Amino acid sequence: MDKYLHSKWTTINKISGWRHFEVRSVFKNQQKIELFPVCDKNINIIVCINEIKDRKKWLPGWKEIL
């Protein structure tokens, strides 16, 4: 689970108008991570680990989606 801390992710569908996120916190007991968009550190989203592994929703790293 610690491998997710500070990792970068790209969402296929924009969330709150943003696509590129970084992991701020890892909640091991809940199997969730907290992410923030790199362009607006005031927004936080919580995602289940299983959802972040779904390549139809998230891609590892910062990718350009056209």
Side-chain angles (χ1 to χ4, degrees):
M1 291 288 293
D2 289 332
K3 67 180 181 178
Y4 289 105
L5 190 59
H6 303 295
S7 62
K8 282 83 170 158
W9 295 87
T10 301
T11 182
I12 300 298
N13 299 309
K14 290 183 180 182
I15 299 173
S16 298
W18 303 107
R19 193 177 298 278
H20 298 106
F21 290 81
E22 184 173 337
V23 176
R24 175 174 286 152
S25 302
V26 177
F27 306 111
K28 293 180 186 180
N29 294 339
Q30 300 173 350
Q31 294 289 304
K32 295 182 179 182
I33 57 175
E34 177 185 27
L35 299 106
F36 65 92
V38 294
C39 293
D40 188 348
K41 294 179 174 45
N42 295 319
I43 298 173
N44 295 317
I45 63 166
I46 305 289
V47 177
C48 292
I49 294 296
N50 291 335
E51 184 178 337
I52 203 83
K53 292 179 181 179
D54 184 351
R55 295 298 178 250
K56 295 176 184 170
K57 295 181 180 180
W58 292 92
L59 298 172
W62 292 337
K63 311 283 194 248
E64 184 174 355
I65 307 282
L66 300 176

